Amino acid sequence: MKIGVLALQGAVAEHIRSIEAAGGEGVAVKRIEELQELDGLIIPGGESTTIGKLMRKYGFIDAIREFSGQGKPIFGTCAGLIVLANRIEGQEEAHLQLMDMTVARNAFGRQRESFETDLDIKGIDEPVRAVFIRAPLIKEVAPTVEVLSEYKGEIVTARQGHLLASSYHPELTDDYRLHAYFLAMAKEAAQE
Ligand SMILES: NC(=O)CC[C@H](N)C(=O)O
């Protein structure tokens, strides 16, 4: 499976490394034409406002919506999760508006800017190590969105069909199981 990592800003190399460690092929994506050859796309963490701005500038909003419309899987991590959401608390405008959920940015406050924890994730046997950095939370989801994990009662991993989102950075650990999970989604979609 060939998985692209949107390379406008943020943690790109780490996702490529994790995809390869999980048995896929990872490539950096800088132009919309490059989407055509992919089986799946990762939108990395970084700064959602910056990623959103650059996506608009280079035509990625329409191109990724079309990619999603073809049923191709997309995985948004941290800022990438914010970019996928239909609604962002306190902001007029969202970005891709592909996942039917409301998210809150920087939801853990200054006291806990970054931390690590082990999360139970539906579909993965043992707890997964998760790194949270100025992380967002999923505040509300539509009934079509499946909650895959919570941290202290708040939603931090969710899936809506071919779309996957995590509040944290799974690419900053040596635990590649969430990338393997996403590769399995891409395989499934390719067979349809
Ligand atoms: N690590 C991250 O991706 C942080 C996300 C960032 N706080 C935002 O709002 O976009």
Side-chain angles (χ1 to χ4, degrees):
M1 291 286 107
K2 191 166 177 176
I3 306 297
V5 182
L6 188 66
L8 299 175
Q9 193 250 347
V12 176
E14 294 86 347
H15 270 299
I16 291 176
R17 181 202 61 130
S18 296
I19 278 294
E20 307 231 307
E25 183 190 350
V27 291
V29 171
K30 290 201 165 127
R31 296 179 300 118
I32 56 171
E33 297 77 37
E34 291 162 341
L35 291 172
Q36 280 165 19
E37 61 202 34
L38 303 178
D39 299 301
L41 178 71
I42 294 176
I43 306 178
E47 188 53 48
S48 58
T49 352
T50 308
I51 295 173
K53 245 182 231 159
L54 293 170
M55 282 173 71
R56 281 180 185 80
K57 182 169 173 191
Y58 296 111
F60 273 106
I61 298 280
D62 286 341
I64 293 175
R65 282 181 180 155
E66 201 180 308
F67 184 82
S68 173
Q70 294 163 3
K72 299 260 184 86
I74 305 176
F75 181 15
T77 63
C78 205
L81 165 149
I82 299 168
V83 167
L84 279 178
N86 277 9
R87 293 165 299 277
I88 303 168
E89 260 184 24
Q91 270 179 227
E92 287 279 312
E93 216 193 342
H95 304 285
L96 285 169
Q97 299 176 47
L98 287 172
M99 259 182 106
D100 202 350
M101 59 186 183
T102 304
V103 301
R105 296 177 63 194
N106 304 317
F108 290 91
R110 283 178 168 254
Q111 300 300 317
R112 297 200 73 191
E113 283 231 312
S114 64
F115 60 95
E116 287 189 39
T117 189
D118 293 315
L119 288 176
D120 284 320
I121 300 180
K122 227 187 241 177
I124 299 179
D125 281 346
E126 300 288 320
V128 170
R129 192 80 181 149
V131 181
F132 289 77
I133 304 169
R134 294 191 316 284
L137 276 176
I138 303 171
K139 286 299 190 183
E140 262 175 20
V141 293
T144 47
V145 176
E146 189 188 3
V147 174
L148 298 185
S149 75
E150 292 184 5
Y151 173 73
K152 297 192 170 168
E154 306 265 19
I155 306 167
V156 293
T157 320
R159 176 175 177 177
Q160 184 176 21
H162 63 293
L163 305 172
L164 180 67
S166 72
S167 294
Y168 47 89
H169 289 261
E171 80 285 9
L172 296 183
T173 69
D174 293 335
D175 190 337
Y176 311 117
R177 287 172 297 159
L178 208 56
H179 288 83
Y181 180 99
F182 183 62
L183 277 174
M185 283 172 62
K187 269 184 205 143
E188 213 174 279
Q191 279 160 10
E192 274 168 13

